[in-house]
Amino acid sequence: MYFFFNDPATTETYTLSLHDALPISILTVDTPDPSVLRRWLSALPEPTRRLPVGRFLGGLVTRAEAPTSEQCLEQFKQAATGFRAVGDTAGEVEALAQVGYVHHVRRHGASLADVGARLVELALAGEPRATPYAQIAGAFVGLSSGDPVAVTEALARIEPGSLTSQFEAIADWLRAQGQNMTGYRSVDAADRCVASGLPIPGLADVQLGSRWHVGDFDFLNDESRWAAVPDGGRDHFLREVWRVAVATAMGQTSAAERALDSAHALVGNDPADIVATTLALLELHLAVQADHAVDVGEQLDEMLAQHPLEASRRAVYSLMRGLVARYRPEYWDYWGDFEQGPMVRRDRDIGRALAAIDNDDDLSLVAELSWPEHHGEVIPAAMLPGTCLLVAGAWAIGRSEAREAATWLAHTVRKPALEHFRDLTEHRSPAVSKAAAEILAQVAVDRKSVVEGKRVDLGGRRIIKKKQYTS
C-alpha cells in the first residue's frame, strides 16, 4: 500500500508504505515526534484514515497525549483487527504491541497477557516481527500486574544476545522498573536504557526514578535535566511527577505545588486509576512537607481507602514504603511477598526507627540502624521532616553519621532543613530537642567559617577553603 501527501512544514512530498516510511514501531530510532505524526495524519485522505494503517497512525497521535484513553485503545484494536483480516501479520504485530502498551499504562495485566499470547502465536507461526515482542511480553505482564519477580524471571529466560539493541533497551527499561519495586539499585539498567537514544515512552521516568531511590540529589537537582519539555502528554506528566517529588524532598513547597498543578492539568478530570493513585501520593508527600502538624497516618488511611494496596499499584507505592513503615506498619506485608532488596529494608528500618521516636521517644532503633551509604538516601524513606528527625535522634546518641548528614542537609537542602531543625527544638523528647539546638548552633559556626573562607563541616573538619557560600 502506497500513498502520497505533502508535509506542510517542509513542503516535501512523501511516498509512504506501511512497513517502510510510516514508522509504526515505537522501537525504531526514526520514529517521528508527535508533532510530525499529527501532520501526517492530517494529510491523509479520509478513506485512508479508515484503513488499518490510518487507524494505526491515529492511535499513535492519540497515544502521545492520552495513552490511557479508550479512544487510543480502540484505534489500535481496530488496526490490529484490520491487519489480521487481510493477512498482514507484520502490521498486526505492530498494532498488537501498541494495544499492549495501552494495557500496560492502564495496569491491565490480564488484558496484556492476552495480547502476549497472540504475539507468541504469531512468533510460532513464523512471523519474525513477533519474536522479540513475545520474548519480552512476560516481563511486561509482570510489571503491569505488580509482580516484580515475574519481571525478573521473564527477562532471565531471554537468551543473551538474542535481542536487537532496540529491544535490549526495552528489556533494561523493564529491568530497572522491576529493580525499583524490589528495592535493588536500578541506576545501571536505567542509564543503559537512556544511552540507547531510543524514543521509548517513559524513558525519563525510569532514569529519574532510579536516581530517586538511591537519593542522588546532585543528579536530580541539576536544572539541565528539567529544561526540555517532553512532546507528549504522558512523558510530560511523568516529568512533572518527578518535579513534584524532588521539589518536595528539597522543601521547595511552592515549586512542588506548581508542578503538581501542572500534572493535574495534563491528565484532566478523569485520570486512569494508576494516574489518580500517583497524584494522591504526591499530594500526601506535599502535605507531609508543607504542614509540620499534619496527621500523616490519617491522610494515609484516606488515600488507601480510595486507592487500596493492590499489586497493580506496587510501582507507585514503592515511593511511600517508609511512610507506611512509620505510620501504618500493619500494612507492611504488602511488600513482603517477594525477596526484599536493600532499599526496601532501608525504608522499613528507617520508618520503624522514626515510629519508635514518635511513640515512645525511643532512640534504640536509631542506634541499631544501618546508616545508608549516601545521606540523600534517607529522604526517599523518610521525607524531609522525618530525615531531620532521624538526624537529630542520631546526633543525640552520638552517631558519627549524624554530623555528616546534618552538614549535607545544611548545604544541599539549606533553609527548609534548618526550619525543620528549629521545629525540633520544641520536640517533646529532651534528647531530640537538645540535639536540634546543637545542630543549629553548629550551622551558625559553619556559616561564619564560610564567610571567613574556611568552610567546615559540622564536625569541625575543613572541607573547602574557597569563599562561595553567602546566603
Side-chain angles (χ1 to χ4, degrees):
M1 178 190 309
Y2 292 88
F3 47 91
F4 300 85
F5 64 88
N6 291 323
D7 183 339
T10 64
T11 69
E12 295 180 17
T13 300
Y14 292 91
T15 302
L16 297 182
S17 70
L18 176 59
H19 301 306
D20 299 320
L22 264 183
I24 62 176
S25 171
I26 63 169
L27 299 177
T28 57
V29 178
D30 297 326
T31 301
D33 63 34
S35 62
V36 174
L37 293 173
R38 285 191 286 270
R39 291 202 302 270
W40 287 9
L41 181 64
S42 66
L44 289 184
E46 186 59 34
T48 305
R49 293 191 191 191
R50 293 194 293 270
L51 294 174
V53 66
R55 302 287 189 193
F56 189 93
L57 184 55
L60 289 178
V61 171
T62 305
R63 190 196 72 179
E65 301 301 332
T68 62
S69 67
E70 193 65 27
Q71 178 187 2
C72 183
L73 180 61
E74 277 305 307
Q75 285 172 312
F76 286 131
K77 278 185 172 181
Q78 289 173 11
T81 300
F83 286 132
R84 186 173 185 175
V86 297
D88 187 342
T89 56
E92 184 186 357
V93 165
E94 302 295 352
L96 284 172
Q98 298 296 339
V99 172
Y101 172 78
V102 177
H103 286 315
H104 163 67
V105 285
R106 286 179 157 197
R107 294 300 191 269
H108 290 173
S111 298
L112 182 54
D114 292 338
V115 173
R118 175 58 182 163
L119 288 168
V120 170
E121 287 180 12
L122 290 168
L124 293 175
E127 172 49 58
R129 286 177 180 261
T131 300
Y133 287 117
Q135 287 177 293
I136 65 173
F140 261 113
V141 172
L143 180 59
S144 299
S145 303
D147 186 350
V149 175
V151 175
T152 302
E153 292 177 346
L155 293 175
R157 289 193 295 269
I158 299 174
E159 184 178 348
S162 64
L163 294 177
T164 64
S165 59
Q166 293 96 332
F167 279 91
E168 191 60 55
I170 291 291
D172 275 326
W173 182 85
L174 290 161
R175 187 172 291 110
Q177 298 278 20
Q179 289 168 337
N180 284 341
M181 282 197 286
T182 51
Y184 287 90
R185 179 184 170 88
S186 63
V187 170
D188 292 343
D191 285 353
R192 286 196 304 270
C193 183
V194 172
S196 72
L198 294 168
I200 300 171
L203 193 73
D205 171 50
V206 73
Q207 187 178 48
L208 294 171
S210 72
R211 301 289 179 164
W212 166 268
H213 285 290
V214 298
D216 187 355
F217 287 98
D218 288 337
F219 180 96
L220 294 170
N221 283 326
D222 183 348
E223 283 300 317
S224 66
R225 312 247 175 234
W226 310 96
V229 177
D231 190 353
R234 182 171 184 263
D235 279 2
H236 194 175
F237 170 75
L238 293 173
R239 203 276 300 269
E240 294 304 298
V241 164
W242 287 111
R243 285 185 73 93
V244 177
V246 174
T248 302
M250 294 292 100
Q252 300 163 0
T253 302
S254 296
E257 289 173 341
R258 289 194 298 271
L260 184 58
D261 288 343
S262 176
H264 273 288
L266 286 165
V267 299
N269 297 323
D270 188 25
D273 176 75
I274 196 68
V275 173
T277 302
T278 301
L279 292 171
L281 179 58
L282 293 174
E283 289 164 358
L284 175 64
H285 278 195
L286 190 54
V288 171
Q289 164 55 30
D291 184 354
H292 302 171
V294 67
D295 187 335
V296 179
E298 183 176 316
Q299 289 211 12
L300 193 55
D301 287 338
E302 292 177 2
M303 188 186 80
L304 294 179
Q306 296 181 47
H307 311 284
L309 290 168
E310 296 175 353
S312 62
R313 301 187 177 102
R314 189 168 275 145
V316 173
Y317 282 157
S318 66
L319 300 180
M320 70 169 196
R321 291 184 297 237
L323 292 179
V324 168
R326 180 179 181 182
Y327 294 104
R328 290 296 181 264
E330 61 270 26
Y331 297 146
W332 185 257
D333 285 347
Y334 177 66
W335 288 282
D337 57 353
F338 52 83
E339 182 181 355
Q340 296 178 347
M343 285 181 285
V344 175
R345 296 193 296 271
R346 172 202 70 192
D347 295 353
R348 177 198 63 197
D349 294 346
I350 289 175
R352 289 175 177 175
L354 289 170
I357 300 175
D358 294 338
N359 298 330
D360 305 306
D361 297 337
D362 180 5
L363 297 174
S364 62
L365 293 183
V366 178
E368 298 171 6
L369 186 68
S370 178
W371 201 270
E373 181 180 355
H374 302 291
H375 302 303
E377 288 188 60
V378 180
I379 290 182
M383 303 305 296
L384 182 57
T387 298
C388 293
L389 175 57
L390 188 73
V391 170
W395 184 292
I397 59 176
R399 288 199 62 154
S400 60
E401 300 95 340
R403 293 183 178 273
E404 297 173 359
T407 298
W408 183 85
L409 287 166
H411 295 306
T412 302
V413 183
R414 299 192 179 189
K415 183 178 178 181
L418 301 182
E419 290 175 347
H420 285 298
F421 282 126
R422 289 191 186 97
D423 290 341
L424 289 172
T425 61
E426 300 180 4
H427 195 274
R428 68 170 186 269
S429 165
V432 169
S433 62
K434 180 182 177 184
E438 290 175 353
I439 289 171
L440 290 170
Q442 287 290 347
V443 167
V445 171
D446 186 36
R447 285 173 178 262
K448 183 175 184 296
S449 298
V450 170
V451 171
E452 294 173 352
K454 301 181 298 182
R455 181 169 171 181
V456 295
D457 71 5
L458 300 187
R461 293 170 295 179
R462 184 177 298 175
I463 58 177
I464 194 166
K465 295 180 180 180
K466 181 181 178 181
K467 290 185 181 180
Q468 63 179 34
Y469 183 83
T470 57
S471 60

